Amino acid sequence: MARPRAFDERHVLEQARGQFWATGYAGTRMDDISRATGLGKGSLYGAFGDKAELFHRVFDDWCTAVVEVARERLAGGPDAEALARLSGYVHLMAENSASDTERRGCLLAKGAAELAHQDPTVAGRSAETMQALLTLLRTEISAAQRHGDIDRAADPERLAALLLTVVRGIEAVSKAGLAPETLRNIADTALAVLPVPEGRKRLATGRTPAREN
């Protein structure tokens, strides 16, 4: 009978994630993971495989969490509230970036930038995550169009791609040191350019408190 593992797998993955997040994939050695987690390398290899397999596990968990946060905000509901849901999500992402004082950024963006060109697993998981986000945004834009808050003549796919690029771009420029208020203004502007039907008054879109992403 196999012996049960004498460690908390979730805790180990969180510590490994922190190490990859801080030093990147190339800058992280299994010795670093061992020190961060308190596990010997033999235990790490036995439980999670080599460094690439461990990173894939951490990266997959992160991507799942990114989509789950978006789904919490963009989970559907009355069409009359779709624009408010879109606004809440875009502002949430801006606030998360504004509150990232250590400028660590998003592990999805960091992992994709470092590895997607050479690692099919990372490339595929990144693309899958972006497509899921795009779908959630497009669904809410279509709902707002049905209600008349966004011009029905506009292409929801293009508008969703625009908002996705803004959301992910805010995270990128925040790492370069843009002021938090500038990040918030970017979110405001992106929402303000969504086309409204002729003669329709643009609805106000408020900001929302920050939370983890």
Side-chain angles (χ1 to χ4, degrees):
M1 178 181 295
R3 295 175 57 188
R5 293 174 181 171
F7 60 84
D8 183 336
E9 183 176 286
R10 178 52 51 188
H11 176 74
V12 171
L13 289 170
E14 289 175 355
Q15 297 304 309
R17 179 189 67 193
Q19 187 65 53
F20 283 125
W21 202 358
T23 56
Y25 180 79
T28 299
R29 303 172 303 164
M30 287 300 281
D31 286 334
D32 301 321
I33 300 293
S34 179
R35 282 193 294 271
T37 61
L39 288 181
K41 288 193 290 184
S43 295
L44 287 170
Y45 284 123
F48 304 103
D50 61 16
K51 186 176 84 165
E53 291 174 299
L54 177 56
F55 182 79
H56 291 161
R57 175 70 181 275
V58 167
F59 191 73
D60 182 70
D61 286 349
W62 182 276
C63 290
T64 297
V66 166
V67 175
E68 285 178 350
V69 167
R71 190 170 286 120
E72 287 176 6
R73 293 283 174 165
L74 307 173
D79 288 356
E81 299 171 5
L83 185 59
R85 291 192 294 269
L86 282 168
S87 175
Y89 176 68
V90 173
H91 282 128
L92 171 67
M93 295 297 100
E95 287 296 335
N96 284 344
S97 293
S99 64
D100 182 15
T101 56
E102 297 180 14
R103 299 184 188 175
R104 294 183 300 174
C106 174
L107 188 62
L108 167 57
K110 294 177 75 169
E114 184 178 6
L115 295 171
H117 67 289
Q118 66 187 42
D119 187 325
T121 298
V122 171
R125 190 67 177 93
S126 300
E128 178 184 301
T129 302
M130 292 301 172
Q131 187 58 54
L133 296 175
L134 191 65
T135 298
L136 288 167
L137 289 165
R138 184 181 64 242
T139 298
E140 293 291 13
I141 288 168
S142 296
Q145 288 177 305
R146 288 193 298 270
H147 188 254
D149 291 327
I150 296 177
D151 189 350
R152 295 189 183 192
D155 185 341
E157 186 76 28
R158 292 188 177 188
L159 293 181
L162 171 64
L163 289 184
L164 178 59
T165 301
V166 169
V167 164
R168 304 312 303 182
I170 287 174
E171 183 270 333
V173 298
S174 73
K175 289 181 62 181
L178 285 189
E181 191 60 22
T182 300
L183 305 180
R184 298 181 182 109
N185 289 338
I186 293 170
D188 289 340
T189 303
L191 292 163
V193 301
L194 293 175
V196 297
E198 186 176 354
R200 178 91 174 202
K201 183 179 179 180
R202 186 176 298 278
L203 299 181
T205 53
R207 297 180 181 180
T208 189
R211 57 161 291 173
E212 291 187 8
N213 68 357

